[in-house]
Amino acid sequence: MTTRTRRSQRRTEALSRERIVEAAVELLDAAGEGGLTFRALTERLATGPGAIYWHVANKDELLGAATDAVVAAALAVGPTGPPDPPQDGVRAVALGLFDATDEHPWLAAQLSTRLSRGPWASVTPRIFESVGRRVRALGVPEGDWFTATSALVHYILGAVGQNAANTANARTLGPDTNRAGFLDSASRAWEELDPDDYPFVRAVAKQLRDHDDREQLLAGVDFVLTGITARHLPGGQAHTPPAT
C-alpha cells in the first residue's frame, strides 16, 4: 500500500497543474471549447482522469485557468528595462490582448464570459491592474481611476473581441476567403447602399476596405487616452505624479 501511494504521489507531482493547463490550451486552439474534454485531456497527457482531477475540479475551472494563463502571457509581453511611458504601456496591453485573441480563437468568448460572470476571479483583476497602473502613472486623480481605467478596458476588450469575431466569421466562409477579399465585399456592399439613408456609411466604405486592424485599435486607444487627459489633467497634458 505504501509503495502504491508513493507511486501515485510521484505521478501527481510529475503532472503539474501548469502542464494540464498547457495541454488544455493546446486542445482549445486545435478544436475550440467543444474539443476540451477530460477524455481528450487524459489521452494527450497519457494519464488517468484522477490525476487531472487532483489539480482541477471541473471543466469550468480548467477553462478559467487556461484563459488566465493566456492573458498572463499576453500582458507580460512588453518593453524591458526602465518603466515604459504610461501611454505606451496601455498600447502594449491592447496589442498583447489583440494578438492573444488572434492566436487563440476561443479566447475572446472566454474573456467575455469570465469578466461578466466572475469579475472577482484572476482574469479581470489581472487586466484591470495592468491598465490601472498606467492610468495612475498618467497622473489621473485617484477619484477618477476606476472610471478612466474602465473606459480603456471596455474599449480594448470590445475592439479585440470584435476583431476575433470577424476572424471567426471569415473562417466559416471557406478556405479561399481572406481578409482582403472579405473587406472588399463588405466595402462594395456599403457603397451600394441608398445614398439618402446611408450617406456616412457610403463615405467611409473605402476606409473600411483599406483599414489595418492593429492601427485602428491603437488609434482608438489614443482617442480614449486623449479624452482622459483632457478631462482629468490640468491643461489636458499627461504628467507623472511626484515620487512619494
Side-chain angles (χ1 to χ4, degrees), residues 103-127:
E103 182 180 355
H104 307 280
W106 53 272
L107 180 62
Q110 280 301 309
L111 279 175
S112 177
T113 297
R114 301 291 148 187
L115 268 65
S116 61
R117 195 170 66 189
W120 53 84
S122 55
V123 172
T124 303
R126 191 184 297 280
I127 295 173

Side-chain angles (χ1 to χ4, degrees), residues 12 15-22 55-57 61-62 64-65:
T12 301
L15 183 65
S16 66
R17 179 182 173 90
E18 289 72 20
R19 177 62 191 119
I20 293 171
V21 171
E22 179 184 338
H55 294 283
V56 291
E61 181 182 336
L62 188 56

Side-chain angles (χ1 to χ4, degrees), residues 9 14 60-61 77 114 208:
Q9 287 174 341
D60 186 66
E61 181 182 336
V77 175
R114 301 291 148 187
L208 168 68

Side-chain angles (χ1 to χ4, degrees), residues 20-78:
I20 293 171
V21 171
E22 179 184 338
V25 171
E26 293 168 359
L27 286 171
L28 286 164
D29 289 346
E33 184 177 340
L36 178 61
T37 65
F38 275 73
R39 179 175 181 178
L41 200 56
T42 57
E43 291 176 356
R44 179 173 286 265
L45 294 170
T47 188
I52 296 176
Y53 281 115
W54 178 271
H55 294 283
V56 291
N58 50 49
K59 181 175 178 178
D60 186 66
E61 181 182 336
L62 188 56
L63 282 167
T67 302
D68 189 50
V70 172
V71 168
L75 297 182
V77 175

Side-chain angles (χ1 to χ4, degrees), residues 6 49 60-62 72 81 110 120 147 171 186 188-189 196 237:
R6 287 175 179 170
D60 186 66
E61 181 182 336
L62 188 56
Q110 280 301 309
W120 53 84
T147 300
R171 290 194 183 102
R188 290 177 183 276
D196 294 325
Q237 296 297 317

